[in-house]
Amino acid sequence: MARHCEMSRDYDRALVLIEQALALDCRNSTALCVKGLMESYMACGRFKEALTVAQDSVMAMPKNAGALTLVGIVLSHIPDCKDKVRSSATMALRKALQADPKCLEALFAIEHYNAALLLNPNYEPATKGIARVECLINGDDNL
């Protein structure tokens, strides 16, 4: 139901439903709800809350590639972010790929870089980001 609300762009309702699911069955719902909760917060422009959800995931599962990727995704979506935030986003994705070089969510982040390049083919941070991710996938840790 929360996913339907999210797809219908009713993000506030999606947040309410996700929070209710977590309250009812925290253990089984957490893994399924965290990403939806984070995405809903981001869609509402509530990046601080989205980052808190992602960071809580990392605290609970510090070596989990999926949790590390969530942090990178949130940081990469913060509007008008500074280079330090972009660097932190890249670092989180790098850690995710080091934890699991085949992590689909971290690999999905490449699509974000590609989308940026579609908008501006000369956008150097996206070009460098793709190069970094490809090096990590190939096992080259000397970036």
Side-chain angles (χ1 to χ4, degrees):
M1 189 69 168
R3 188 53 120 177
H4 173 72
C5 289
E6 184 180 354
M7 292 172 62
S8 301
R9 296 179 179 246
D10 186 358
Y11 302 114
D12 290 325
R13 179 75 177 136
L15 286 171
V16 169
L17 292 170
I18 290 168
E19 288 169 353
Q20 287 175 348
L22 287 170
L24 288 173
D25 187 6
C26 185
R27 255 186 285 175
N28 291 328
S29 300
T30 301
L32 299 174
C33 293
V34 165
K35 186 175 180 192
L37 181 61
M38 182 201 75
E39 289 173 346
S40 294
Y41 277 135
M42 288 191 328
C44 292
R46 295 169 60 182
F47 294 97
K48 183 178 178 181
E49 291 93 336
L51 186 57
T52 298
V53 169
Q55 289 172 331
D56 287 349
S57 295
V58 172
M59 287 175 52
M61 303 171 287
K63 296 189 187 287
N64 183 281
L68 293 163
T69 300
L70 294 179
V71 172
I73 290 171
V74 173
L75 292 172
S76 69
H77 280 84
I78 295 175
D80 303 322
C81 65
K82 300 184 189 282
D83 288 338
K84 183 177 179 182
V85 174
R86 279 193 196 101
S87 177
S88 296
T90 302
M91 182 64 73
L93 294 172
R94 175 184 284 173
K95 286 180 182 178
L97 287 170
Q98 286 173 341
D100 180 3
K102 303 297 182 200
C103 175
L104 294 178
E105 290 177 297
L107 295 173
F108 178 73
I110 295 173
E111 289 186 35
H112 292 286
Y113 288 125
N114 285 328
L117 289 173
L118 285 175
L119 294 172
N120 180 357
N122 299 318
Y123 187 57
E124 190 174 338
T127 303
K128 287 181 178 179
I130 288 174
R132 283 187 205 118
V133 172
E134 288 174 351
C135 285
L136 287 170
I137 291 169
N138 293 326
D140 181 8
D141 293 335
N142 303 318
L143 301 176

